[in-house]
Amino acid sequence: MPTFDGLTAVAPCWGVAALFSIVGDPWGLTGREGALYMLLAWSVVATSVMTILFPRKTYAFVALAACTVLLYALRLPVASNNKTITTMFDLCILLSGTVLAAQGKLTRERLYESLRTPARLILATMYFYGIFHKINTDFLDPTVSCAVGLYKPLAEPFGLEDNLVGRYLAIWSTFVIEGIAIVALFWKRWFAIGLTSALVFHYIIPISAYSWYMDFSSLVFALYMLTMPREASAKIYEITCRHVVEPLRSLFGRIGILAPIAALLAIATLVVLLLALANPGRPALMLLHSIFILTWAVVGGVAMTAMIYAAMLYLPYRGGTAGRSPYAAWNWIVPVLYFVSCLSPYLGLKTESSINMFSNLHTEGGTTNHLLFSRPPYLFDYQRDVVQVVASSSPSLTRTANEGRMNVLFSIEEFLRRHPDQWVTYIHDGQLIEQATAASLTLESATWLERKLLIFKQVDPNRPKVCTH
């Protein structure tokens, strides 16, 4: 069996997470977003497969990070929290590799050690805001809470979807699980407790089918592979090599590593197509989602079982500090910037991509449902002006108007600037603005940075605020 190094255990996990993410973007892969977008999307696919097949090739791991960052930059502004978290860690990979190379110290061992701190900090940021944003009246309301939105499809087969106790358990267990996860990230002795609760939680939420959560859960699994004790990740590597990789290579060569994945996808596709024939009329994206839910159920289940088993072997962890990399300030740069950026909803900046997914949080229009603020402490005014679309030449905005949702004024103005042939009629501060176009806008265009970094959710004026995303 090949000798263990930390990156060899992590790289395939990161490759699998990238694949779960990119298959959730079928329009990008098929060219609807443009040739450059499609080129970068398929580059992510290629480097992901390379990372899985050749986990000891550092260039494949770094190339995957570079392709993912470039694709994210092309996508900007990005609403997806999952893609933002992934890109933050990919930036850590590129930064660590660059600094170590400049110092003449770039080895796989040093790169692995340099990434362990950022991985832990990014997970801690995710769990901190996963709790903080949910401290609001509507997340705690069992009639509209996003936790209940995830609970209902899981409880429905048992007839418990309307059970009030179950709904409250879903709400409060979210705080408990994420709280345990934060503490255990920094309390190595009991790390396995936090890892177990977190992995079970992240394994279950994609199966709820509430949203495309496979990319989110798989990237969390990969980050946990980095943060768990070296002995535990070495045990996972040993199990995988001995019982999966080496038998497959002996039968089919290196490409045989992909055989179980290909077989699983084929079986999942067959099952979903047979069900679709029995229940016609399902949209193609729903079928794609179903295929990868089944795939995740197996892949995620195997990964979760192996990781929990390995972690429990070292509970409580009694390892020393040998091999720990010295403190390096640059390891903190990206995680700290990311932590600060997630305060954006309260500062009047973006309301998307701030770890506020499925939190019921609202901060627009100078009001908030957060229990720690009577009014959001805006430092910027982007969220202050909220408008009600009355009519539009755009079908999507017309649908927004018909559904009673509102928009941040900045979003409407940017829409018109990007689509000078479109018009929008809306109400702003009680005044009807009829058929506004790009030519009728009086304010200067947003800067390049504003256009790339600011993205806002549509605003639900109803209270309590129902769960959207």
Side-chain angles (χ1 to χ4, degrees):
M1 188 176 69
T3 56
F4 169 77
D5 73 68
L7 276 187
T8 308
V10 173
C13 297
W14 201 241
V16 169
L19 287 176
F20 270 117
S21 179
I22 201 67
V23 295
D25 185 13
W27 306 140
L29 290 169
T30 53
R32 288 199 184 184
E33 303 293 339
L36 179 58
Y37 192 110
M38 183 172 69
L39 175 63
L40 286 172
W42 281 104
S43 296
V44 170
V45 173
T47 50
S48 298
V49 173
M50 284 286 291
T51 302
I52 296 168
L53 289 176
F54 302 95
R56 291 182 176 275
K57 302 296 184 183
T58 308
Y59 68 81
F61 184 59
V62 174
L64 172 57
C67 290
T68 303
V69 169
L70 289 173
L71 182 58
Y72 185 88
L74 185 64
R75 284 170 167 151
L76 284 171
V78 175
S80 168
N81 288 280
N82 311 333
K83 290 179 173 58
T84 300
I85 296 170
T86 300
T87 301
M88 291 300 105
F89 186 68
D90 283 324
L91 286 172
C92 293
I93 294 172
L94 298 178
L95 178 61
S96 293
T98 301
V99 172
L100 289 172
Q103 294 175 344
K105 299 178 180 178
L106 181 57
T107 64
R108 290 179 62 79
E109 180 65 23
R110 285 197 173 100
L111 182 58
Y112 169 72
E113 288 295 340
S114 72
L115 293 175
R116 284 162 64 79
T117 294
R120 184 174 289 107
L121 293 174
I122 287 173
L123 280 173
T125 297
M126 184 186 78
Y127 288 127
F128 173 81
Y129 283 107
I131 294 172
F132 187 78
H133 291 322
K134 294 184 180 79
I135 305 174
N136 66 71
T137 55
D138 298 324
F139 185 83
L140 299 175
D141 185 338
T143 64
V144 294
S145 175
C146 287
V148 174
L150 295 174
Y151 162 80
K152 287 175 67 176
L154 295 172
E156 189 171 5
F158 307 99
L160 298 173
E161 66 273 19
D162 295 323
N163 183 276
L164 190 61
V165 173
R167 290 185 171 210
Y168 273 116
L169 280 174
I171 292 169
W172 290 103
S173 65
T174 303
F175 293 107
V176 172
I177 291 170
E178 293 183 323
I180 291 173
I182 290 178
V183 172
L185 277 170
F186 300 97
W187 194 1
K188 186 176 284 189
R189 183 177 177 84
W190 303 105
F191 179 89
I193 301 298
L195 177 141
T196 299
S197 61
L199 293 191
V200 170
F201 175 71
H202 288 292
Y203 172 71
I204 290 173
I205 56 176
I207 297 173
S208 72
Y210 193 81
S211 184
W212 187 280
Y213 263 128
M214 287 77 72
D215 56 346
F216 179 52
S217 292
S218 56
L219 80 88
V220 170
F221 276 42
L223 292 176
Y224 265 110
M225 184 69 78
L226 256 174
T227 58
M228 68 194 312
R230 290 176 60 91
E231 297 90 339
S233 60
K235 176 59 69 174
I236 295 171
Y237 176 76
E238 177 191 338
I239 293 170
T240 305
C241 274
R242 182 168 297 166
H243 299 291
V244 180
V245 175
E246 290 182 349
L248 288 172
R249 282 185 179 176
S250 65
L251 289 173
F252 307 109
R254 185 177 292 274
I255 197 70
I257 297 171
L258 300 178
I261 299 175
L264 178 59
L265 279 172
I267 293 170
T269 301
L270 179 61
V271 169
V272 170
L273 290 179
L274 289 175
L275 290 173
L277 289 175
N279 301 275
R282 300 296 193 272
L285 288 179
M286 179 182 288
L287 300 183
L288 179 70
H289 192 181
S290 300
I291 290 169
F292 281 94
I293 286 176
L294 292 177
T295 304
W296 168 256
V298 176
V299 173
V302 170
M304 175 184 67
T305 302
M307 292 176 72
I308 291 175
Y309 168 75
M312 286 298 177
L313 292 177
Y314 300 94
L315 178 67
Y317 181 68
R318 302 183 187 278
T321 59
R324 180 181 295 176
S325 58
Y327 172 82
W330 48 269
N331 282 339
W332 290 66
I333 293 174
V334 174
V336 168
L337 289 175
Y338 184 49
F339 182 91
V340 173
S341 77
C342 291
L343 288 170
S344 294
Y346 309 100
L347 304 181
L349 294 168
K350 62 178 182 174
T351 55
E352 292 275 27
S353 195
S354 301
I355 315 293
N356 56 337
M357 65 284 198
F358 301 105
S359 66
N360 297 90
L361 179 70
H362 84 82
T363 56
E364 302 89 353
T367 64
T368 183
N369 59 352
H370 201 283
L371 291 173
L372 300 185
F373 303 105
S374 57
R375 299 179 66 83
Y378 290 164
L379 297 181
F380 303 89
D381 290 332
Y382 297 103
Q383 292 183 47
R384 198 174 298 280
D385 293 316
V386 177
V387 301
Q388 175 70 63
V389 173
V390 177
S392 175
S393 57
S394 163
S396 63
L397 286 179
T398 299
R399 186 165 56 251
T400 297
N402 293 338
E403 293 173 353
R405 286 174 289 166
M406 304 175 74
N407 291 271
V408 172
L409 179 60
F410 177 89
S411 297
I412 297 298
E413 292 177 342
E414 281 310 297
F415 170 83
L416 292 174
R417 291 190 177 101
R418 290 195 307 271
H419 304 90
D421 58 327
Q422 301 281 347
W423 58 266
V424 181
T425 296
Y426 59 87
I427 298 172
H428 178 216
D429 286 340
Q431 180 180 0
L432 182 66
I433 310 297
E434 296 191 72
Q435 296 197 348
T437 64
S440 67
L441 296 177
T442 56
L443 297 176
E444 293 183 2
S445 298
T447 65
W448 179 86
L449 202 60
E450 288 174 319
R451 293 197 306 273
K452 290 297 183 181
L453 297 184
L454 295 179
I455 182 167
F456 299 90
K457 293 182 178 184
Q458 292 179 338
V459 181
D460 181 2
N462 298 314
R463 298 294 177 267
K465 181 186 182 301
V466 299
C467 183
T468 50
H469 72 285

